[in-house]
Amino acid sequence: MSDCLFCAIVAGDIPADIVHRDDDAVAFRDIDPQAPVHILVIPTSHHANATELAAADPAAAGGLLALAGSIAESEGIADSGYRIVTNTGEGAGQSVHHVHFHLLGGRDLQWPPG
Ligand code: 5GP
Ligand code: ZN
C-alpha cells in the first residue's frame, strides 16, 4: 500500500533495524522501545490488523506467531517470559494500520496492561 509506513520498511524505502526477513515476514526493532527487547513482527503483505490477516490468510497469521516465538528464543527472552501484543483500532492504541505483533521482553511485564 503506497502510503503505509510498514510497507515502506518491507520495501527497504525506510530504514529499520531488521532482525529477520523472509518472503512472508519482516521483524525489526521498534523505534521507541517499551522494553529491553521490543520487536515488531509483520507480514510482507498489507493487512490492516490481525483479524483481517487471519481472515485472509490464517497460515500467515500462525506463521507470524511462530516467528515471534523463535525470535524470543534468539533474543534470549524465551525462558524469562515475553508478551506478544497486537493492538487493533485507535482506542486500543493502534497507530500503524499494517498488522504487527509487538514482541516485548527483558523486564518484568505488568498485568493487566494499561
Ligand atoms: P501500534 O501503536 O500501532 O500498536 O504500534 C506501532 C509501533 O510502531 C509503535 O510502537 C512505534 O514506536 C513503532 N514505529 C512507528 N514508526 C516507526 C518507524 O519508523 N520505525 C520503527 N522501527 N518503528 C516505528
Ligand atoms: Zn502496509
Side-chain angles (χ1 to χ4, degrees):
M1 184 170 277
S2 59
D3 61 349
C4 172
L5 173 64
F6 287 177
C7 282
I9 287 176
V10 169
D13 295 337
I14 291 177
D17 184 355
I18 290 174
V19 300
H20 175 92
R21 175 188 281 282
D22 62 41
D23 288 346
D24 300 320
V26 178
F28 53 95
R29 295 189 193 283
D30 197 290
I31 204 168
D32 181 23
Q34 302 301 309
V37 175
H38 186 175
I39 290 168
L40 302 174
V41 183
I42 71 171
T44 52
S45 57
H46 182 93
H47 301 272
N49 57 53
T51 303
E52 291 194 11
L53 172 65
D57 191 347
L64 288 181
L65 287 171
L67 176 58
S70 86
I71 293 171
E73 293 275 356
S74 60
E75 291 288 320
I77 57 172
D79 289 342
S80 54
Y82 57 88
R83 188 169 293 162
I84 297 169
V85 180
T86 186
N87 298 320
T88 300
E90 300 198 359
Q94 185 177 10
S95 60
V96 178
H97 295 272
H98 177 132
V99 56
H100 47 283
F101 291 102
H102 298 256
L103 171 66
L104 296 150
R107 65 167 171 81
D108 287 339
L109 297 168
Q110 303 305 309
W111 191 263

